[in-house]
Amino acid sequence: MPTIRVIGTGDFSAYLIAALRKGGFKGRFLLSPYNRAKAEKLATVHGCAVALDDTSMLAEADWILLAVRPEQLADLTARLALRPGQLLISAVAGITVAELRAAVRADEIRVVRIMPSSYIETIDEGLVPVFPAFHDVEAVLAAAGKIATFDTEDQFEYAMFGACLSGWMYRFIEALENWFIDHGLTPAQARLIVAGNLAGAAGYALARQDVPLEVVSDGIATEGTYTKAGLEHLLERHAALPWLEALDILERRLLSLKA
C-alpha cells in the first residue's frame, strides 16, 4: 500500500479519499497542512494524517496527488522537489503530462492524470478516468470505482467532459422532478421516479453495448404509446442540441488553451 501525499484538501480530495476508503483502501494519506481546518476534518473522518510541513511530506510519500486549481499550480510546483521513484498523480484540469513534468522540473518523474466525478463517494462502480494506463495506480483507484484508461491524452481530455455531464444532469433531474411535484408527487417520490428511471436507462445502455440505443428506444416507443408521443416531440425540438452545444463550448475552451 503506497503512502499518498495529498496537496489540496478541497472537495475533490474529500470525495476521492472517501471513495477509496469505502472501497477498502488502507494505505496512508498524508494531507497538506495549508488549509489546516479542512485537512484535520478529512483526517478525522477518513483516517488520514496531517503533515507537519513539505519536507516531511515529501520524505515519507510514495505518491503525490495534486488536487488543486490550475491557477494554483505554479506556486505549488515551485517548492515541490520530487525525488526519483516518486509518482505524481494529477487531478489538475487541462494541464498535460508534459506541462506537469516541466512544472516540477523532473523529466524522469512518472506522471498519471485522473479525473473521477464527485458521485464516486456515494455509488459503487463510479467512473475513474486515468491517463496513461499504469497498473499500480489502477489497482489502487479500482477501490474507488470503475477504471477507464485511454490511449492518447487527447482522448483523456475529452473524457474529462464526461464529469461535466454529471454536473449538468443534476439540474436536468431537478427540472423533471419539479414537474412531477407540481402534479402531486412528493419530493421523495419524484426523485425516485426521475432519477430511478434515468439510472435504469443508463445501466441498460452500459450493460447492452452490443445494441444501438436508437434500436432500444424505437422498440419501446411503438405506435400509440405515451413514450412515442413524447419522443416525437423531443426529436422535433432537437432536445439534445443544447447539450451538444455545451460540449462544443468546452471543446473550444480546450482548444484555445492549446493554441
Side-chain angles (χ1 to χ4, degrees), residues 50-227:
V50 181
L52 295 175
D53 51 43
D54 285 346
T55 303
S56 63
M57 286 182 79
L58 285 171
E60 297 179 57
D62 303 304
W63 298 358
I64 312 298
L65 171 62
L66 275 179
V68 298
R69 296 184 181 279
E71 61 269 20
Q72 298 173 307
L73 188 62
D75 180 59
L76 286 169
T77 54
R79 17 181 236 275
L80 188 64
L82 300 183
R83 67 175 188 270
Q86 283 184 316
L87 171 72
L88 180 63
I89 302 175
S90 173
V92 184
I95 308 299
T96 67
V97 169
E99 289 169 336
L100 287 161
R101 285 203 180 101
V104 298
R105 302 170 302 283
D107 290 339
E108 74 281 3
I109 293 295
R110 183 143 200 172
V111 177
V112 175
R113 297 179 65 189
I114 65 171
M115 194 55 66
S117 295
S118 58
Y119 54 71
I120 63 169
E121 179 181 355
T122 304
I123 70 168
D124 297 328
E125 292 294 297
L127 196 62
V128 184
V130 176
F131 175 83
F134 184 36
H135 176 268
D136 291 354
V137 172
E138 294 167 45
V140 168
L141 293 182
K146 183 177 179 62
I147 303 298
T149 59
F150 300 90
D151 297 326
T152 69
E153 197 158 20
D154 282 344
Q155 289 178 336
F156 177 82
E157 296 280 11
Y158 281 97
M160 286 198 306
F161 296 164
C164 301
L165 289 176
S166 64
W168 304 341
M169 187 63 71
Y170 296 124
R171 291 296 188 97
F172 178 60
I173 291 171
E174 181 184 44
L176 295 177
E177 282 182 359
N178 288 336
W179 187 92
F180 283 99
I181 291 169
D182 290 344
H183 288 77
L185 274 67
T186 67
Q189 290 169 335
R191 176 67 54 88
L192 180 63
I193 292 301
V194 175
N197 278 287
L198 291 175
Y204 187 87
L206 288 169
R208 291 300 309 274
Q209 296 189 42
D210 58 314
V211 181
L213 294 181
E214 183 178 359
V215 172
V216 176
S217 177
D218 288 346
I220 299 168
T222 55
E223 203 61 46
T225 61
Y226 287 153
T227 306

